[in-house]
Amino acid sequence: MCGVMDKFTHLGNYSVPIDPSLVIIIMADRDAYVPPDRVVHLCELWQGAEIRRINCGHIAAFLKHHHKFRKAIKDSLDKQVKKYYKQNIISNVGVQSCDISQPTNV
């Protein structure tokens, strides 16, 4: 089973992101699915990536720490804007609202 999981889930089997410095990894210290002491750390695979640790297991991290995942996504996007756009691109985008209460025919 471990061999099958490694084949399809090990990030070393895939291309390195174009800019690993924009990657923020959430790592569960007590993860039994991806034990921290038995895997190659992503910072070794993706040099420049940031690791944020949560003191819980794999499932508890997902169920109890949504806010930390959302913050990591926001922080990663903020890093990208700061590094490549050097301005707040959100203020340049018009916000459109749509009514989702009524289905539309497509």
Side-chain angles (χ1 to χ4, degrees):
M1 184 67 170
C2 287
V4 172
M5 287 174 47
D6 274 351
K7 174 75 174 166
F8 297 106
T9 63
H10 191 283
L11 293 175
N13 295 330
Y14 301 96
S15 300
V16 175
I18 292 171
D19 187 352
S21 71
L22 301 176
V23 174
I24 299 175
I25 301 156
I26 304 290
M27 183 176 102
D29 287 332
R30 294 182 279 140
D31 195 328
Y33 178 69
V34 185
D37 60 336
R38 292 195 212 152
V39 297
V40 176
H41 283 276
L42 284 175
C43 283
E44 293 175 29
L45 294 173
W46 297 350
Q47 295 204 358
E50 175 185 342
I51 291 185
R52 296 182 184 177
R53 300 173 77 123
I54 300 174
N55 187 22
C56 62
H58 191 93
I59 302 299
F62 176 75
L63 295 176
K64 296 180 179 180
H65 297 278
H66 286 242
H67 63 287
K68 292 181 182 180
F69 286 91
R70 287 191 302 269
K71 180 159 178 29
I73 293 166
K74 179 197 175 297
D75 291 349
S76 178
L77 292 171
D78 287 346
K79 282 183 180 184
Q80 180 180 2
V81 168
K82 184 177 180 182
K83 185 171 186 176
Y84 292 106
Y85 300 100
K86 297 183 180 22
Q87 63 177 326
N88 184 355
I89 61 171
I90 301 301
S91 64
N92 297 333
V93 177
V95 177
Q96 297 179 348
S97 63
C98 59
D99 183 7
I100 60 170
S101 61
Q102 297 296 322
T104 58
N105 295 328
V106 180

